[in-house]
C-alpha cells in the first residue's frame, strides 16, 4: 500500500454523481500485472442562489408588483464570474405573473457531453407584494383596484 498525490482534470459541466476513470491508478495488479483503474465519484456542492438540472441553471428572482405589471429591465445573477461580475440584464415583460419562467439562452452550465454548448438559465419570477402602511399608498392601490376590476378567481367558479 502506498499513497501518492494525483492531479486530474474535471471537465466544465461535470455533474453530481458522475464517475471519472483514472486508468492505471488503482490497486496493483495480481502477480505483477498492470495496476487497475481508480474511479472518482463527483460530489458537487450546493449553492444558495442557484440550482441545477442537467445543463440548465435555475434561479428565483424577486420583482416588485409595479415592475411585474409595467415591465422593466433588472439585473439577475449568473454563474459567470467573468465579464461583469456574475450578472446580466433581463427584460421583464409587462404583465409578468408570479411563477412565470423567463429564459436566458446559453447562460447555464457548459456541457461536458457536447463541447462548445451551454445550457440555459431559467429565471423564475417571484412577485413581492408591498407592505402598505401609509394612507396615501392605500388610497392609490384602492384607485388601481377600481380601474382594474378583473377577478383572478373567476375561472375557478366558471363550471360550478
Amino acid at each position: 500500500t502506498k499513497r501518492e498525490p494525483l492531479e486530474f482534470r474535471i471537465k466544465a459541466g461535470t455533474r453530481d454523481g458522475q464517475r471519472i476513470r483514472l486508468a492505471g491508478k488503482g490497486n496493483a495488479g495480481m502477480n505483477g500485472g498492470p495496476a487497475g483503474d481508480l474511479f472518482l465519484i463527483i460530489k458537487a456542492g450546493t449553492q444558495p442562489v442557484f440550482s441545477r438540472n442537467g445543463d440548465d441553471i435555475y434561479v428565483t428572482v424577486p420583482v416588485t408588483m409595479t415592475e411585474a405589471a409595467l415591465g422593466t429591465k433588472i439585473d439577475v445573477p449568473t454563474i459567470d464570474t467573468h465579464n461583469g461580475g456574475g450578472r446580466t440584464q433581463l427584460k421583464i415583460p409587462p404583465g409578468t405573473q408570479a411563477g412565470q419562467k423567463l429564459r436566458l439562452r446559453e447562460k447555464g452550465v457548459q456541457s461536458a457531453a457536447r463541447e462548445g454548448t451551454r445550457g440555459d438559465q431559467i429565471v423564475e419570477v417571484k412577485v413581492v407584494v408591498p407592505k402598505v402602511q401609509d394612507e396615501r399608498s392605500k388610497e392609490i392601490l384602492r384607485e388601481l383596484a377600481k380601474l382594474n376590476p378583473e377577478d383572478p378567481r373567476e375561472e375557478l367558479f366558471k363550471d360550478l
Side-chain angles (χ1 to χ4, degrees):
T1 302
K2 69 176 183 171
R3 289 178 181 243
E4 130 184 24
L6 292 174
E7 282 192 29
F8 55 92
R9 187 176 181 95
I10 298 177
K11 280 186 184 177
T14 300
R15 297 183 181 154
D16 188 52
Q18 212 167 335
R19 293 183 347 162
I20 296 175
R21 179 175 158 249
L22 300 179
K25 296 296 182 181
N27 285 335
M30 294 179 64
N31 299 322
D37 298 339
L38 173 65
F39 288 91
L40 306 170
I41 299 173
I42 301 303
K43 178 69 179 152
T46 59
Q47 209 282 339
V49 174
F50 303 105
S51 62
R52 179 179 176 180
N53 185 357
D55 292 335
D56 292 337
I57 290 293
Y58 290 79
V59 63
T60 300
V61 176
V63 298
T64 66
M65 179 180 73
T66 53
E67 288 173 329
L70 300 174
T72 190
K73 286 184 180 174
I74 62 169
D75 283 342
V76 295
T78 68
I79 61 170
D80 292 325
T81 54
H82 65 287
N83 274 347
R87 64 178 59 203
T88 193
Q89 277 215 324
L90 174 66
K91 182 180 178 187
I92 303 294
T96 296
Q97 300 297 308
Q100 191 168 334
K101 291 179 174 67
L102 304 171
R103 182 178 303 271
L104 289 167
R105 298 225 177 264
E106 297 185 4
K107 290 287 184 184
V109 176
Q110 259 187 292
S111 176
R114 296 180 320 267
E115 199 167 317
T117 63
R118 284 183 78 165
D120 298 331
Q121 179 169 320
I122 311 300
V123 178
E124 182 175 346
V125 175
K126 176 183 177 185
V127 177
V128 179
V129 178
K131 294 176 182 157
V132 180
Q133 296 176 350
D134 65 283
E135 203 49 48
R136 177 72 179 122
S137 294
K138 289 177 185 179
E139 237 177 79
I140 291 169
L141 287 175
R142 285 186 198 106
E143 184 65 26
L144 180 64
K146 285 179 191 173
L147 291 171
N148 298 277
E150 73 253 5
D151 181 358
R153 294 167 299 281
E154 189 175 330
E155 287 290 315
L156 293 174
F157 301 101
K158 188 173 140 186
D159 295 327
L160 295 179

